[in-house]
Amino acid sequence: MSHISIAIDGPAAAGKSTIAKRVAKKLEFLYIDTGAMYRAVTLYVLEHGDDVIKDIASHIHITFGINDEVYLNDKDVSAEIRSPEVTNNVSRVSAIGEVRTYLVEMQREISRTSNVVMDGRDIGTTVLPDADVKIFMQASPAVRAQRRLLEETARGNNIDLATLTAEIIRRDEFDSMREISPLVQAEDATLLDTSYLSIDEAEQKIIQLVEDKLEVQ
């Protein structure tokens, strides 16, 4: 039996994870936060050094809890992977070939056994090129920085808007120009700009896209 896969891509703080979670819940699909997986690897690399990447499968095991908790080697690291240090290093670590190969195969295996909503930066182009529905979410850097500021403040991190804006622009450039699986909209993906959409509006637009596409098949 084939399973349905929905790929949601886009730059940092475009609202992918928040909306993907809601869409998955609405459709009763499994939600896979690929960004959290790369963050978990980044956390491990920061703690143990880059040498662990050479044999990544022996060092790193990632699972998700029923409430979207992220477990790294059976330890809940949901809060730790959102630290500024991890955020500032995740693009570098995620661009490493061995890291991407390991996690992409893990993500594909999950999609082979479950109906999934998967969000990231290369889901529709690399991880699930045959996904049933592909969406590319975007928003202006200013809007994304403001969203990230609210998140960081809620986590107790003290960071200013100008710094966040600069970091988002820098990460966009890095992700878009990296040699392996760069951030790019898949040719068959639907573009959704969330700059001026509420979470409810964005969710509804994606649900409608999914329903329209699956109805045609």
Side-chain angles (χ1 to χ4, degrees), residues 123-165:
I123 309 304
T125 55
T126 302
V127 181
L128 303 176
D130 297 321
D132 299 278
V133 180
K134 298 181 185 179
I135 295 157
F136 191 88
M137 292 179 59
Q138 69 175 18
S140 70
V143 168
R144 288 186 282 138
Q146 186 63 53
R147 290 173 179 168
R148 183 56 57 83
L149 179 65
L150 294 174
E151 293 175 357
E152 296 296 341
T153 301
R155 295 187 185 111
N157 295 323
N158 185 20
I159 189 168
D160 62 88
L161 184 61
T163 298
L164 281 173
T165 303

mmCIF file of all heavy atoms in Angstrom, residues 123-165:
data_model
loop_
_atom_site.group_PDB
_atom_site.id
_atom_site.type_symbol
_atom_site.label_atom_id
_atom_site.label_comp_id
_atom_site.label_asym_id
_atom_site.label_seq_id
_atom_site.Cartn_x
_atom_site.Cartn_y
_atom_site.Cartn_z
ATOM 1 N N ILE A 123 12.865 19.018 0.929
ATOM 2 C CA ILE A 123 11.977 17.851 0.948
ATOM 3 C C ILE A 123 11.430 17.567 -0.451
ATOM 4 O O ILE A 123 11.506 16.449 -0.955
ATOM 5 C CB ILE A 123 10.808 18.041 1.941
ATOM 6 C CG1 ILE A 123 11.321 18.472 3.320
ATOM 7 C CG2 ILE A 123 9.990 16.754 2.049
ATOM 8 C CD1 ILE A 123 12.329 17.535 3.915
ATOM 9 N N GLY A 124 10.873 18.582 -1.090
ATOM 10 C CA GLY A 124 10.276 18.385 -2.404
ATOM 11 C C GLY A 124 11.275 18.192 -3.526
ATOM 12 O O GLY A 124 10.929 17.640 -4.575
ATOM 13 N N THR A 125 12.520 18.623 -3.327
ATOM 14 C CA THR A 125 13.533 18.505 -4.373
ATOM 15 C C THR A 125 14.417 17.279 -4.209
ATOM 16 O O THR A 125 14.839 16.670 -5.189
ATOM 17 C CB THR A 125 14.437 19.754 -4.406
ATOM 18 O OG1 THR A 125 15.002 19.959 -3.101
ATOM 19 C CG2 THR A 125 13.637 20.983 -4.817
ATOM 20 N N THR A 126 14.720 16.905 -2.967
ATOM 21 C CA THR A 126 15.702 15.835 -2.724
ATOM 22 C C THR A 126 15.153 14.671 -1.910
ATOM 23 O O THR A 126 15.285 13.517 -2.308
ATOM 24 C CB THR A 126 16.939 16.413 -1.988
ATOM 25 O OG1 THR A 126 17.508 17.454 -2.784
ATOM 26 C CG2 THR A 126 17.981 15.337 -1.739
ATOM 27 N N VAL A 127 14.559 14.976 -0.764
ATOM 28 C CA VAL A 127 14.128 13.901 0.134
ATOM 29 C C VAL A 127 12.954 13.119 -0.446
ATOM 30 O O VAL A 127 12.989 11.890 -0.540
ATOM 31 C CB VAL A 127 13.758 14.469 1.524
ATOM 32 C CG1 VAL A 127 13.346 13.333 2.461
ATOM 33 C CG2 VAL A 127 14.922 15.240 2.108
ATOM 34 N N LEU A 128 11.909 13.838 -0.841
ATOM 35 C CA LEU A 128 10.701 13.198 -1.396
ATOM 36 C C LEU A 128 10.346 13.843 -2.731
ATOM 37 O O LEU A 128 9.335 14.538 -2.853
ATOM 38 C CB LEU A 128 9.527 13.334 -0.413
ATOM 39 C CG LEU A 128 9.719 12.776 0.994
ATOM 40 C CD1 LEU A 128 8.508 13.080 1.856
ATOM 41 C CD2 LEU A 128 9.979 11.263 0.952
ATOM 42 N N PRO A 129 11.163 13.624 -3.761
ATOM 43 C CA PRO A 129 10.900 14.265 -5.054
ATOM 44 C C PRO A 129 9.585 13.830 -5.687
ATOM 45 O O PRO A 129 9.063 14.513 -6.571
ATOM 46 C CB PRO A 129 12.101 13.839 -5.911
ATOM 47 C CG PRO A 129 12.600 12.588 -5.267
ATOM 48 C CD PRO A 129 12.362 12.770 -3.805
ATOM 49 N N ASP A 130 9.025 12.707 -5.235
ATOM 50 C CA ASP A 130 7.749 12.220 -5.764
ATOM 51 C C ASP A 130 6.595 12.452 -4.788
ATOM 52 O O ASP A 130 5.567 11.763 -4.862
ATOM 53 C CB ASP A 130 7.856 10.720 -6.078
ATOM 54 C CG ASP A 130 8.873 10.430 -7.162
ATOM 55 O OD1 ASP A 130 8.958 11.218 -8.122
ATOM 56 O OD2 ASP A 130 9.604 9.424 -7.052
ATOM 57 N N ALA A 131 6.762 13.393 -3.896
ATOM 58 C CA ALA A 131 5.707 13.697 -2.918
ATOM 59 C C ALA A 131 4.399 14.023 -3.633
ATOM 60 O O ALA A 131 4.397 14.626 -4.710
ATOM 61 C CB ALA A 131 6.129 14.869 -2.037
ATOM 62 N N ASP A 132 3.303 13.633 -3.028
ATOM 63 C CA ASP A 132 1.989 13.863 -3.641
ATOM 64 C C ASP A 132 1.643 15.341 -3.714
ATOM 65 O O ASP A 132 1.022 15.802 -4.665
ATOM 66 C CB ASP A 132 0.908 13.126 -2.831
ATOM 67 C CG ASP A 132 1.135 11.634 -2.812
ATOM 68 O OD1 ASP A 132 0.752 10.966 -3.785
ATOM 69 O OD2 ASP A 132 1.727 11.135 -1.834
ATOM 70 N N VAL A 133 2.047 16.086 -2.690
ATOM 71 C CA VAL A 133 1.786 17.522 -2.636
ATOM 72 C C VAL A 133 3.067 18.224 -2.204
ATOM 73 O O VAL A 133 3.702 17.819 -1.236
ATOM 74 C CB VAL A 133 0.651 17.861 -1.640
ATOM 75 C CG1 VAL A 133 0.402 19.366 -1.611
ATOM 76 C CG2 VAL A 133 -0.630 17.122 -2.007
ATOM 77 N N LYS A 134 3.444 19.280 -2.945
ATOM 78 C CA LYS A 134 4.642 20.053 -2.604
ATOM 79 C C LYS A 134 4.268 21.525 -2.447
ATOM 80 O O LYS A 134 3.592 22.092 -3.316
ATOM 81 C CB LYS A 134 5.709 19.918 -3.690
ATOM 82 C CG LYS A 134 6.215 18.516 -3.914
ATOM 83 C CD LYS A 134 7.288 18.508 -5.001
ATOM 84 C CE LYS A 134 7.732 17.096 -5.347
ATOM 85 N NZ LYS A 134 8.755 17.108 -6.415
ATOM 86 N N ILE A 135 4.730 22.109 -1.350
ATOM 87 C CA ILE A 135 4.447 23.514 -1.067
ATOM 88 C C ILE A 135 5.748 24.198 -0.678
ATOM 89 O O ILE A 135 6.535 23.653 0.101
ATOM 90 C CB ILE A 135 3.417 23.647 0.072
ATOM 91 C CG1 ILE A 135 2.074 23.064 -0.368
ATOM 92 C CG2 ILE A 135 3.243 25.109 0.488
ATOM 93 C CD1 ILE A 135 1.182 22.645 0.752
ATOM 94 N N PHE A 136 5.962 25.383 -1.237
ATOM 95 C CA PHE A 136 7.130 26.177 -0.865
ATOM 96 C C PHE A 136 6.637 27.433 -0.164
ATOM 97 O O PHE A 136 5.996 28.283 -0.769
ATOM 98 C CB PHE A 136 7.961 26.558 -2.092
ATOM 99 C CG PHE A 136 9.306 27.151 -1.743
ATOM 100 C CD1 PHE A 136 10.409 26.334 -1.550
ATOM 101 C CD2 PHE A 136 9.457 28.516 -1.593
ATOM 102 C CE1 PHE A 136 11.645 26.868 -1.222
ATOM 103 C CE2 PHE A 136 10.688 29.069 -1.267
ATOM 104 C CZ PHE A 136 11.788 28.244 -1.075
ATOM 105 N N MET A 137 6.911 27.512 1.138
ATOM 106 C CA MET A 137 6.460 28.647 1.943
ATOM 107 C C MET A 137 7.556 29.698 2.016
ATOM 108 O O MET A 137 8.731 29.373 2.175
ATOM 109 C CB MET A 137 6.099 28.186 3.358
ATOM 110 C CG MET A 137 4.879 27.302 3.407
ATOM 111 S SD MET A 137 4.493 26.765 5.097
ATOM 112 C CE MET A 137 4.280 28.350 5.894
ATOM 113 N N GLN A 138 7.163 30.949 1.919
ATOM 114 C CA GLN A 138 8.128 32.029 2.077
ATOM 115 C C GLN A 138 7.476 33.203 2.799
ATOM 116 O O GLN A 138 6.254 33.286 2.927
ATOM 117 C CB GLN A 138 8.668 32.481 0.723
ATOM 118 C CG GLN A 138 7.645 33.202 -0.142
ATOM 119 C CD GLN A 138 8.272 33.745 -1.427
ATOM 120 O OE1 GLN A 138 9.345 33.325 -1.839
ATOM 121 N NE2 GLN A 138 7.594 34.683 -2.061
ATOM 122 N N ALA A 139 8.316 34.105 3.286
ATOM 123 C CA ALA A 139 7.878 35.344 3.914
ATOM 124 C C ALA A 139 9.083 36.275 3.894
ATOM 125 O O ALA A 139 10.223 35.824 3.763
ATOM 126 C CB ALA A 139 7.395 35.109 5.351
ATOM 127 N N SER A 140 8.856 37.559 4.019
ATOM 128 C CA SER A 140 9.962 38.506 3.959
ATOM 129 C C SER A 140 10.885 38.314 5.159
ATOM 130 O O SER A 140 10.438 37.876 6.235
ATOM 131 C CB SER A 140 9.427 39.941 3.959
ATOM 132 O OG SER A 140 8.876 40.257 5.230
ATOM 133 N N PRO A 141 12.184 38.634 5.029
ATOM 134 C CA PRO A 141 13.112 38.521 6.159
ATOM 135 C C PRO A 141 12.652 39.310 7.386
ATOM 136 O O PRO A 141 12.817 38.845 8.518
ATOM 137 C CB PRO A 141 14.426 39.076 5.592
ATOM 138 C CG PRO A 141 14.341 38.782 4.136
ATOM 139 C CD PRO A 141 12.890 39.010 3.781
ATOM 140 N N ALA A 142 12.068 40.489 7.173
ATOM 141 C CA ALA A 142 11.609 41.313 8.298
ATOM 142 C C ALA A 142 10.504 40.613 9.079
ATOM 143 O O ALA A 142 10.512 40.596 10.320
ATOM 144 C CB ALA A 142 11.120 42.670 7.781
ATOM 145 N N VAL A 143 9.560 40.020 8.369
ATOM 146 C CA VAL A 143 8.459 39.307 9.018
ATOM 147 C C VAL A 143 8.985 38.077 9.741
ATOM 148 O O VAL A 143 8.608 37.787 10.883
ATOM 149 C CB VAL A 143 7.387 38.905 7.980
ATOM 150 C CG1 VAL A 143 6.392 37.916 8.587
ATOM 151 C CG2 VAL A 143 6.664 40.130 7.462
ATOM 152 N N ARG A 144 9.884 37.356 9.111
ATOM 153 C CA ARG A 144 10.435 36.149 9.724
ATOM 154 C C ARG A 144 11.269 36.467 10.961
ATOM 155 O O ARG A 144 11.231 35.748 11.954
ATOM 156 C CB ARG A 144 11.269 35.372 8.697
ATOM 157 C CG ARG A 144 10.390 34.703 7.647
ATOM 158 C CD ARG A 144 11.199 33.818 6.734
ATOM 159 N NE ARG A 144 11.921 34.587 5.730
ATOM 160 C CZ ARG A 144 13.171 34.363 5.360
ATOM 161 N NH1 ARG A 144 13.877 33.405 5.943
ATOM 162 N NH2 ARG A 144 13.740 35.071 4.428
ATOM 163 N N ALA A 145 11.998 37.580 10.913
ATOM 164 C CA ALA A 145 12.794 37.979 12.073
ATOM 165 C C ALA A 145 11.887 38.343 13.252
ATOM 166 O O ALA A 145 12.178 38.009 14.405
ATOM 167 C CB ALA A 145 13.678 39.167 11.717
ATOM 168 N N GLN A 146 10.779 38.996 12.967
ATOM 169 C CA GLN A 146 9.840 39.354 14.019
ATOM 170 C C GLN A 146 9.230 38.101 14.646
ATOM 171 O O GLN A 146 9.083 38.008 15.872
ATOM 172 C CB GLN A 146 8.727 40.243 13.452
ATOM 173 C CG GLN A 146 7.756 40.789 14.495
ATOM 174 C CD GLN A 146 8.431 41.689 15.499
ATOM 175 O OE1 GLN A 146 9.113 42.648 15.134
ATOM 176 N NE2 GLN A 146 8.265 41.408 16.780
ATOM 177 N N ARG A 147 8.913 37.126 13.833
ATOM 178 C CA ARG A 147 8.371 35.860 14.345
ATOM 179 C C ARG A 147 9.402 35.156 15.218
ATOM 180 O O ARG A 147 9.093 34.639 16.293
ATOM 181 C CB ARG A 147 7.973 34.948 13.182
ATOM 182 C CG ARG A 147 6.766 35.412 12.390
ATOM 183 C CD ARG A 147 6.571 34.537 11.164
ATOM 184 N NE ARG A 147 5.414 34.940 10.382
ATOM 185 C CZ ARG A 147 5.159 34.492 9.156
ATOM 186 N NH1 ARG A 147 5.980 33.606 8.600
ATOM 187 N NH2 ARG A 147 4.089 34.899 8.499
ATOM 188 N N ARG A 148 10.643 35.120 14.733
ATOM 189 C CA ARG A 148 11.699 34.450 15.483
ATOM 190 C C ARG A 148 11.973 35.167 16.804
ATOM 191 O O ARG A 148 12.263 34.530 17.818
ATOM 192 C CB ARG A 148 12.962 34.361 14.627
ATOM 193 C CG ARG A 148 14.150 33.632 15.236
ATOM 194 C CD ARG A 148 13.818 32.225 15.668
ATOM 195 N NE ARG A 148 13.292 31.361 14.651
ATOM 196 C CZ ARG A 148 14.028 30.688 13.758
ATOM 197 N NH1 ARG A 148 15.332 30.820 13.736
ATOM 198 N NH2 ARG A 148 13.440 29.890 12.883
ATOM 199 N N LEU A 149 11.840 36.494 16.805
ATOM 200 C CA LEU A 149 12.041 37.261 18.040
ATOM 201 C C LEU A 149 11.031 36.844 19.101
ATOM 202 O O LEU A 149 11.381 36.673 20.274
ATOM 203 C CB LEU A 149 11.914 38.764 17.758
ATOM 204 C CG LEU A 149 12.085 39.694 18.967
ATOM 205 C CD1 LEU A 149 13.503 39.596 19.524
ATOM 206 C CD2 LEU A 149 11.772 41.142 18.585
ATOM 207 N N LEU A 150 9.788 36.674 18.692
ATOM 208 C CA LEU A 150 8.754 36.238 19.639
ATOM 209 C C LEU A 150 9.071 34.858 20.190
ATOM 210 O O LEU A 150 8.903 34.597 21.387
ATOM 211 C CB LEU A 150 7.386 36.228 18.946
ATOM 212 C CG LEU A 150 6.835 37.594 18.514
ATOM 213 C CD1 LEU A 150 5.541 37.418 17.719
ATOM 214 C CD2 LEU A 150 6.599 38.495 19.720
ATOM 215 N N GLU A 151 9.561 33.964 19.345
ATOM 216 C CA GLU A 151 9.919 32.610 19.778
ATOM 217 C C GLU A 151 11.079 32.638 20.762
ATOM 218 O O GLU A 151 11.050 31.964 21.798
ATOM 219 C CB GLU A 151 10.299 31.754 18.562
ATOM 220 C CG GLU A 151 9.149 31.467 17.618
ATOM 221 C CD GLU A 151 9.614 30.730 16.369
ATOM 222 O OE1 GLU A 151 10.843 30.512 16.237
ATOM 223 O OE2 GLU A 151 8.770 30.389 15.525
ATOM 224 N N GLU A 152 12.107 33.404 20.421
ATOM 225 C CA GLU A 152 13.296 33.459 21.275
ATOM 226 C C GLU A 152 12.978 34.107 22.622
ATOM 227 O O GLU A 152 13.470 33.676 23.668
ATOM 228 C CB GLU A 152 14.422 34.233 20.571
ATOM 229 C CG GLU A 152 14.939 33.577 19.304
ATOM 230 C CD GLU A 152 15.595 32.229 19.567
ATOM 231 O OE1 GLU A 152 15.983 31.951 20.720
ATOM 232 O OE2 GLU A 152 15.712 31.435 18.615
ATOM 233 N N THR A 153 12.153 35.135 22.605
ATOM 234 C CA THR A 153 11.753 35.786 23.850
ATOM 235 C C THR A 153 10.978 34.830 24.738
ATOM 236 O O THR A 153 11.176 34.776 25.957
ATOM 237 C CB THR A 153 10.890 37.038 23.550
ATOM 238 O OG1 THR A 153 11.648 37.950 22.746
ATOM 239 C CG2 THR A 153 10.481 37.734 24.842
ATOM 240 N N ALA A 154 10.094 34.038 24.118
ATOM 241 C CA ALA A 154 9.314 33.054 24.873
ATOM 242 C C ALA A 154 10.204 31.989 25.498
ATOM 243 O O ALA A 154 9.887 31.442 26.556
ATOM 244 C CB ALA A 154 8.273 32.403 23.964
ATOM 245 N N ARG A 155 11.342 31.707 24.846
ATOM 246 C CA ARG A 155 12.278 30.713 25.379
ATOM 247 C C ARG A 155 13.234 31.316 26.402
ATOM 248 O O ARG A 155 14.062 30.607 26.969
ATOM 249 C CB ARG A 155 13.085 30.092 24.240
ATOM 250 C CG ARG A 155 12.270 29.290 23.248
ATOM 251 C CD ARG A 155 13.173 28.578 22.252
ATOM 252 N NE ARG A 155 12.376 27.897 21.237
ATOM 253 C CZ ARG A 155 12.320 28.251 19.962
ATOM 254 N NH1 ARG A 155 13.046 29.264 19.530
ATOM 255 N NH2 ARG A 155 11.577 27.584 19.112
ATOM 256 N N GLY A 156 13.145 32.625 26.609
ATOM 257 C CA GLY A 156 14.014 33.275 27.582
ATOM 258 C C GLY A 156 15.342 33.714 27.019
ATOM 259 O O GLY A 156 16.255 34.097 27.767
ATOM 260 N N ASN A 157 15.485 33.689 25.685
ATOM 261 C CA ASN A 157 16.735 34.120 25.053
ATOM 262 C C ASN A 157 16.693 35.617 24.777
ATOM 263 O O ASN A 157 15.705 36.130 24.241
ATOM 264 C CB ASN A 157 16.963 33.358 23.745
ATOM 265 C CG ASN A 157 17.167 31.878 23.977
ATOM 266 O OD1 ASN A 157 17.794 31.481 24.959
ATOM 267 N ND2 ASN A 157 16.657 31.038 23.083
ATOM 268 N N ASN A 158 17.746 36.304 25.129
ATOM 269 C CA ASN A 158 17.821 37.755 24.951
ATOM 270 C C ASN A 158 18.566 38.070 23.661
ATOM 271 O O ASN A 158 19.779 37.926 23.588
ATOM 272 C CB ASN A 158 18.538 38.394 26.152
ATOM 273 C CG ASN A 158 18.533 39.908 26.068
ATOM 274 O OD1 ASN A 158 17.713 40.496 25.365
ATOM 275 N ND2 ASN A 158 19.460 40.542 26.777
ATOM 276 N N ILE A 159 17.836 38.465 22.629
ATOM 277 C CA ILE A 159 18.440 38.774 21.338
ATOM 278 C C ILE A 159 17.631 39.870 20.667
ATOM 279 O O ILE A 159 16.405 39.937 20.846
ATOM 280 C CB ILE A 159 18.508 37.502 20.452
ATOM 281 C CG1 ILE A 159 19.325 37.759 19.201
ATOM 282 C CG2 ILE A 159 17.119 36.985 20.126
ATOM 283 C CD1 ILE A 159 19.671 36.475 18.443
ATOM 284 N N ASP A 160 18.292 40.763 19.941
ATOM 285 C CA ASP A 160 17.563 41.893 19.365
ATOM 286 C C ASP A 160 17.140 41.611 17.928
ATOM 287 O O ASP A 160 17.667 40.717 17.255
ATOM 288 C CB ASP A 160 18.410 43.170 19.411
ATOM 289 C CG ASP A 160 19.680 43.043 18.592
ATOM 290 O OD1 ASP A 160 19.623 43.349 17.384
ATOM 291 O OD2 ASP A 160 20.712 42.642 19.159
ATOM 292 N N LEU A 161 16.185 42.406 17.454
ATOM 293 C CA LEU A 161 15.578 42.198 16.139
ATOM 294 C C LEU A 161 16.595 42.354 15.014
ATOM 295 O O LEU A 161 16.588 41.573 14.054
ATOM 296 C CB LEU A 161 14.413 43.170 15.943
ATOM 297 C CG LEU A 161 13.607 43.012 14.643
ATOM 298 C CD1 LEU A 161 12.978 41.635 14.571
ATOM 299 C CD2 LEU A 161 12.526 44.099 14.566
ATOM 300 N N ALA A 162 17.480 43.334 15.121
ATOM 301 C CA ALA A 162 18.470 43.569 14.068
ATOM 302 C C ALA A 162 19.397 42.366 13.909
ATOM 303 O O ALA A 162 19.727 41.962 12.788
ATOM 304 C CB ALA A 162 19.282 44.824 14.371
ATOM 305 N N THR A 163 19.801 41.790 15.033
ATOM 306 C CA THR A 163 20.676 40.611 14.988
ATOM 307 C C THR A 163 19.958 39.435 14.341
ATOM 308 O O THR A 163 20.532 38.720 13.508
ATOM 309 C CB THR A 163 21.126 40.224 16.409
ATOM 310 O OG1 THR A 163 21.880 41.303 16.969
ATOM 311 C CG2 THR A 163 21.986 38.963 16.388
ATOM 312 N N LEU A 164 18.700 39.233 14.705
ATOM 313 C CA LEU A 164 17.921 38.140 14.132
ATOM 314 C C LEU A 164 17.726 38.321 12.626
ATOM 315 O O LEU A 164 17.832 37.369 11.860
ATOM 316 C CB LEU A 164 16.555 38.043 14.816
ATOM 317 C CG LEU A 164 16.535 37.364 16.185
ATOM 318 C CD1 LEU A 164 15.161 37.507 16.808
ATOM 319 C CD2 LEU A 164 16.903 35.893 16.059
ATOM 320 N N THR A 165 17.452 39.541 12.206
ATOM 321 C CA THR A 165 17.269 39.813 10.781
ATOM 322 C C THR A 165 18.532 39.490 10.001
ATOM 323 O O THR A 165 18.487 38.844 8.952
ATOM 324 C CB THR A 165 16.886 41.283 10.554
ATOM 325 O OG1 THR A 165 15.693 41.599 11.302
ATOM 326 C CG2 THR A 165 16.616 41.550 9.078
#
